[in-house]
Amino acid sequence: MGLFSKYKIKAKDIKQYVANYGGCLATKMITQKGLGVNYMYREKPDNDIDSGWRFFSGHETDDYVSNPKNVEVYDVNTIVNYSPDIMPFLDIEEGFALERDLETGRFYLLKNDEKTKFDLDYAVSQLRKRDEDVPVHAKLPVKEDLEKLAKELGLDLESDIPLDYARYLLTASDVSFGVLEPVQILYEKSRQDYLPCLLEEMESLGLGGKGMPVCSDNGDIYYMAKDGKVFLYSADDSRDVDQWDNLADWILNEWILNKG
């Protein structure tokens, strides 16, 4: 038996997902039992090569973690190989933790052990890192473009359009990433995601007045309600089949992780 045969992923099979994050601590529940990452937090680094990240499967007891034989030092990239879906969260600042909801599989941000909303600026920064080089890139609108289109559609910027929705349009609606084509407010003949067109699609599905369209996906539609939650409406089921706490949650847990 070789020295590294105890690990679920052999050294030769480790893929390069991320670089230059440094080291971290992780339990053998992840690397030897292959249970994956379900809880993670970032603290002040111990040294210059420490990222501050600490990864757990969520199945560890206090006694287990207290035994130094059960926790080892790894490169962050090694742990990403066990749970690639932690990648969008690696830039979160010190003092935060993330916990996976085992029912939905999504990560939720924790601050002082309480769930807190993902920050839209952070989600947009992660999205922009993944912007793809495509032949025809969407253009990023300015506030005057949004005001003009809202007036044409008879929409009030304060009461009809959620603030985070407007912020997304003005900071990230030019991003091309994965299989989704989120809503645009600048008309381009080659695109199917023009806001007036998606509003008409929502109307045809019986969703008129329920919120603002985020994007369509093979006949289904993601939309943002006035309370900030994002829903997925299934045309086949004629109902909402999924939801996210806010637009940042949708960007990180749906667009980047599942549709990227």
Side-chain angles (χ1 to χ4, degrees):
M1 298 287 286
L3 177 61
F4 299 104
S5 61
K6 58 187 177 181
Y7 296 107
K8 283 291 183 177
I9 301 179
K10 296 180 175 61
K12 66 181 182 63
D13 295 324
I14 293 291
K15 300 177 182 178
Q16 190 67 50
Y17 285 107
V18 298
N20 303 318
Y21 276 95
C24 65
L25 295 178
T27 73
K28 293 179 180 179
M29 288 276 190
I30 296 171
T31 57
Q32 294 188 18
K33 292 187 179 296
L35 296 180
V37 176
N38 293 305
Y39 180 78
M40 52 196 275
Y41 68 87
R42 194 173 196 180
E43 62 182 6
K44 184 178 180 180
D46 291 334
N47 51 57
D48 290 342
I49 61 172
D50 180 21
S51 67
W53 276 115
R54 313 297 181 238
F55 298 102
F56 305 85
S57 72
H59 298 277
E60 298 87 353
T61 63
D62 289 342
D63 288 342
Y64 181 92
V65 175
S66 297
N67 185 343
K69 292 183 179 179
N70 294 324
V71 182
E72 295 183 324
V73 177
Y74 303 88
D75 187 279
V76 169
N77 181 68
T78 298
I79 303 306
V80 172
N81 273 259
Y82 286 89
S83 289
D85 60 356
I86 67 175
M87 280 191 290
F89 310 111
L90 293 177
D91 294 323
I92 285 176
E93 64 192 41
E94 299 167 16
F96 281 89
L98 294 112
E99 184 175 43
R100 189 192 300 275
D101 183 319
L102 297 181
E103 189 173 321
T104 65
R106 297 177 193 147
F107 278 103
Y108 286 88
L109 194 61
L110 301 176
K111 181 71 170 178
N112 297 323
D113 295 325
E114 296 290 336
K115 284 186 179 179
T116 184
K117 291 184 177 181
F118 283 111
D119 180 78
L120 183 60
D121 290 338
Y122 175 77
V124 168
S125 72
Q126 292 302 303
L127 190 58
R128 298 208 70 88
K129 283 185 177 182
R130 293 161 173 80
D131 192 17
E132 297 170 345
D133 186 14
V134 294
V136 180
H137 224 293
K139 298 177 182 178
L140 191 66
V142 296
K143 185 178 180 181
E144 288 73 20
D145 296 319
L146 179 56
E147 292 172 340
K148 179 181 178 182
L149 185 57
K151 185 176 182 179
E152 292 174 357
L153 295 172
L155 298 173
D156 184 86
L157 277 177
E158 294 186 2
S159 62
D160 294 322
I161 301 178
L163 179 59
D164 276 357
Y165 186 85
R167 287 175 60 207
Y168 161 74
L169 291 173
L170 299 177
T171 60
S173 61
D174 61 330
V175 172
S176 292
F177 174 66
V179 300
L180 297 181
E181 287 193 358
V183 63
Q184 302 290 316
I185 61 174
L186 296 176
Y187 178 72
E188 293 181 45
K189 189 175 181 180
S190 62
R191 302 180 70 93
Q192 304 297 315
D193 49 11
Y194 186 44
L195 177 56
C197 296
L198 291 185
L199 284 171
E200 289 180 4
E201 185 177 342
M202 286 185 66
E203 190 73 36
S204 70
L205 292 171
L207 298 173
K210 292 196 69 173
M212 297 298 294
V214 176
C215 68
S216 59
D217 182 22
N218 294 319
D220 298 336
I221 194 159
Y222 296 92
Y223 69 93
M224 187 175 185
K226 291 183 180 180
D227 64 2
K229 292 182 179 179
V230 177
F231 295 86
L232 171 60
Y233 181 86
S234 168
D236 290 337
D237 296 334
S238 299
R239 63 183 179 87
D240 294 332
V241 295
D242 210 344
Q243 72 176 62
W244 294 262
D245 291 344
N246 48 59
L247 190 56
D249 180 21
W250 177 80
I251 289 173
L252 292 166
N253 277 306
E254 179 67 357
W255 190 358
I256 291 178
L257 294 184
N258 292 330
K259 298 292 184 177

